Amino acid sequence: AVVSTQSTGEEIVFSIYDITMILTACIGNSLVIYASYKFNALHFDTGSVLLIENLAITDITLTIIAYIPKVVTLLSRGWILGPTLCYVTAFGQFIPGATEILTLMLISAYRFFLVHFPFRAGPTLRITKLLITATWSIALVPPVFFILSNRSMAIFDFRTLACIT
């Protein structure tokens, strides 16, 4: 196991910050999803609600893949999650991160369309679902190609506190 080179004070500060990020991201985004389904609290058109829910899902996914292993590593003072999870974490962070950026682009384009053409119907629910599926599919492409072309295992780097390939 690799041993941390950081001081205990730095590890405590980083751990508190990361735990706060995990709690905020998971609780806040879960509330967005729950409120939109249970209470129809988001009074937007259906396409906008789906895009906002997708954004919340990508935030939760990124939090689970990126921050939870980081906190476990900080608290244990070394990577204890094994080489497979290091590999999955290194490549898996890209997918929700890219999906989040693409979803923000979709929200911007969707809003532009609604403002620029106010009397036309916006994209249908089916098209919005296809666009969301496309964002996840497009985000999967680079990691899949990288994994197929480079089968070396990832390692944990304490300078960046992340698994790298």
Side-chain angles (χ1 to χ4, degrees):
V2 180
V3 179
S4 174
T5 58
Q6 294 179 334
S7 69
T8 306
E10 288 176 331
E11 289 172 348
I12 291 171
V13 170
F14 281 132
S15 296
I16 291 171
Y17 174 76
D18 288 339
I19 290 170
T20 304
M21 288 283 292
I22 291 169
L23 292 175
T24 304
C26 289
I27 292 170
N29 288 305
S30 297
L31 285 174
V32 167
I33 295 168
Y34 179 74
S36 67
Y37 278 117
K38 181 74 174 175
F39 303 110
N40 197 17
L42 301 176
H43 296 290
F44 300 122
D45 56 291
T46 308
S48 294
V49 171
L50 281 176
L51 291 170
I52 290 169
E53 289 170 351
N54 186 52
L55 192 60
I57 290 167
T58 58
D59 278 344
I60 291 171
T61 307
L62 187 61
T63 300
I64 291 168
I65 292 174
Y67 284 103
I68 291 177
K70 183 178 172 186
V71 170
V72 169
T73 302
L74 281 169
L75 294 176
S76 64
R77 300 197 64 151
W79 184 261
I80 61 168
L81 302 173
T84 303
L85 194 55
C86 187
Y87 197 67
V88 169
T89 302
F91 291 109
Q93 291 179 30
F94 181 83
I95 298 164
T99 304
E100 192 165 347
I101 292 167
L102 292 170
T103 301
L104 286 170
M105 290 170 53
L106 277 177
I107 291 170
S108 298
Y110 190 82
R111 287 283 156 208
F112 173 79
F113 182 83
L114 292 177
V115 169
H116 194 64
F117 304 107
F119 299 112
R120 288 189 191 169
T124 63
L125 184 62
R126 181 174 178 264
I127 290 175
T128 305
K129 287 180 181 180
L130 285 172
L131 288 171
I132 289 171
T133 303
T135 61
W136 283 94
S137 300
I138 291 168
L140 276 171
V141 172
V144 167
F145 279 123
F146 191 74
I147 288 169
L148 292 175
S149 66
N150 182 11
R151 296 190 182 266
S152 65
M153 290 302 288
I155 58 168
F156 189 80
D157 181 18
F158 271 98
R159 288 177 293 137
T160 61
L161 297 171
C163 283
I164 57 173
T165 56

